[in-house]
Amino acid sequence: MAGRGKLIAVMGDEDTVTGFLLGGIGELDKHRRPNFLVVEKETSLAEIEETFRGSRGAGPWRVLCALTLSLFPVRRGFLAREDVGMILISQALAEQIRPAVAAHARALPAVLEIPSKDHPYDPARDSVLRRARGLFAPDELR
């Protein structure tokens, strides 16, 4: 990625993702993989976690992923892609895959939980904010 910046990836409901795409963040990499995922009612939890993490067969969906492995090409998740520097994920969606979000400990790509139209932001459920608060003593925040 010499000479180029990193991409912002976004995962969420149709309205949230469309807003960011209209803002200009949509892009395909050289393998024609998009940097966004629109989650609909039919989107499986396995597909959401695979798009975020990129590991087929992780979690309780191992059998389902093994069955679909021959039907669909393997996609690298946003965490595994070197061209992604930040992942914006709606907080409601992050709650569905909380173990995968909480397991991410690297600085890049940064994972930020954002509100969506139907689900307002709740700082108490934001794992990144909880970690950031743990870095500082209460006296330093004044």
Side-chain angles (χ1 to χ4, degrees):
M1 297 275 341
R4 289 198 63 206
K6 301 241 182 211
L7 298 175
I8 298 174
V10 64
M11 299 175 69
D13 60 276
E14 184 176 13
D15 291 337
T16 302
V17 174
T18 300
F20 281 101
L21 292 177
L22 288 171
I25 72 160
E27 194 162 321
L28 299 175
D29 67 1
K30 63 183 177 181
H31 301 290
R32 309 286 300 159
R33 295 176 299 195
N35 64 329
F36 57 91
L37 174 69
V38 176
V39 177
E40 299 170 329
K41 291 178 184 176
E42 301 82 30
T43 308
S44 70
L45 221 48
E47 184 180 353
I48 295 167
E49 187 171 358
E50 177 190 335
T51 301
F52 179 76
R53 191 188 313 207
S55 58
R56 284 192 184 266
W61 307 282
R62 178 174 300 187
V63 174
L64 175 64
C65 291
L67 292 173
T68 59
L69 185 59
S70 60
L71 300 175
F72 302 103
V74 175
R75 296 186 307 196
R76 288 180 60 199
F78 295 146
L79 289 180
R81 287 177 52 175
E82 293 182 13
D83 62 339
V84 173
M86 181 183 298
I87 302 170
L88 303 176
I89 182 170
S90 68
Q91 192 172 49
L93 187 59
E95 280 298 313
Q96 294 179 16
I97 59 167
R98 180 58 64 198
V101 174
H104 176 62
R106 296 187 334 247
L108 287 177
V111 178
L112 299 176
E113 296 179 22
I114 59 173
S116 62
K117 185 170 93 172
D118 298 328
H119 300 85
Y121 177 75
D122 181 5
R125 296 183 349 197
D126 190 338
S127 62
V128 175
L129 184 59
R130 278 196 305 256
R131 278 190 236 162
R133 283 185 180 154
L135 294 175
F136 301 102
D139 297 337
E140 295 176 1
L141 296 176
R142 295 180 193 189

